[in-house]
Amino acid sequence: MKNLISVVIPCFNEEEALPYFYDAVTKQSDVMREKYAVDFEYIFVDDGSTDDTLSVVKEYAAKDGRVRYVSFSRNFGKEAAILAGLEAARGDYVSVMDADLQDPPELLGEMYETIVNEGYDCAAARRVTRRGEPKLRSLLSRLFYALIRKIAKADIADGARDYRLMTRKVVDAIISMREYNRFSKGIFGWVGFKTKWIEFENAKRVAGETKWSMWKLLLYSADGITSFSTMPLAVSSVVGMLMCVIAFVMILVIIAKTIIWGDPVAGYPSLVCIIFLVSGIQLFCLGILGQYLAKTYIETKKRPVYIIKENNLEDN
Ligand code: UDP
Ligand code: MG
């Protein structure tokens, strides 16, 4: 029996990039079929695209039996698309790859060799440069990774991409995580297994626009932190405690001052500042608490992570 490699491709409004992608990935498959005698299947997950992504994918499916697809009823996000793809994948090895060629398909050969010859369970791509990315964006990304590496209970590498090749065991472990708030980079790290990081230079997307605005990235990072760490809760309690101690000391100082020097009416500005500061900290901590509560609320609803509108999974 030949080994089967499934390639999962989350696509959201990628009609412009898909032709380049399909070209590149099929070329790479041909190379690998020759070299390692492996079979391929491609699982395109149309994440509620509003352009012609789905019809492009259907065209490929009509002429190429290796193409399978799932189409969502609306945009559920990349994380949901990855889960749907992994669930549909039948391969002995499964790869997750972006549709915009920022994840070079040529790395797949090296990843496959790493797993088969070196005994790793997973080979993942990590970009060492962020060339061609806005400066502020890459600075914030770096800060985010530095922070989450410190406080999260999962191994998350800086510059890690979702691009990787995994064995069936790893895929099954990921699928078994049924949480609704899916931060893939955290999930990949959390399941463990032996992962080798393969480094590569950042590539620009071939066509189309990035789907991530600064605001979306910011929310995504907050999501990542609250999904994989409860450290902010601890920090807020420590800060709260510290504030109490400071207040207590201040009370003692004021009592002593009043007894010694009487009570001249002064210090109104500093009082206002303190009130603002303390209520600010309180609101901030309440906000953190709220984030976790909201997460718990959503999780307890046990909603499906995605809803499929149509697919050809049973056909071939
Ligand atoms: N994507 C998706 N759903 C979304 C946003 C993005 O499936 O809601 C897909 C997108 O089609 C692409 C991959 O996720 O294949 C990465 O997106 P993008 O290139 O926009 O992100 P960037 O590379 O800029 O981080
Ligand atoms: Mg991209």
Side-chain angles (χ1 to χ4, degrees), residues 5-8 93-97 108 111 163-166:
I5 297 183
S6 306
V7 182
V8 170
Y93 301 94
V94 182
S95 169
V96 178
M97 213 185 276
L108 215 52
M111 289 180 171
Y163 182 26
R164 57 185 55 232
L165 185 70
M166 304 170 271

Side-chain angles (χ1 to χ4, degrees), residues 14 98 100 102 161 205 210-212:
E14 298 285 9
D98 282 4
D100 58 4
Q102 281 193 302
R161 297 193 55 91
R205 92 179 348 266
T210 174
K211 311 297 177 302
W212 295 90

Side-chain angles (χ1 to χ4, degrees), residues 51-64:
D51 64 358
D52 278 334
T53 301
L54 183 58
S55 16
V56 175
V57 170
K58 277 183 176 167
E59 253 170 56
Y60 296 148
K63 65 172 192 213
D64 184 343

Side-chain angles (χ1 to χ4, degrees), residues 25-66:
V25 83
T26 43
K27 231 176 244 153
Q28 176 65 17
S29 317
D30 290 344
V31 172
M32 287 179 70
R33 253 209 323 253
E34 282 283 305
K35 201 164 163 193
Y36 312 110
V38 286
D39 275 330
F40 271 84
E41 69 169 1
Y42 313 116
I43 297 158
F44 290 91
V45 184
D46 164 36
D47 184 10
S49 301
T50 49
D51 64 358
D52 278 334
T53 301
L54 183 58
S55 16
V56 175
V57 170
K58 277 183 176 167
E59 253 170 56
Y60 296 148
K63 65 172 192 213
D64 184 343
R66 296 168 298 179

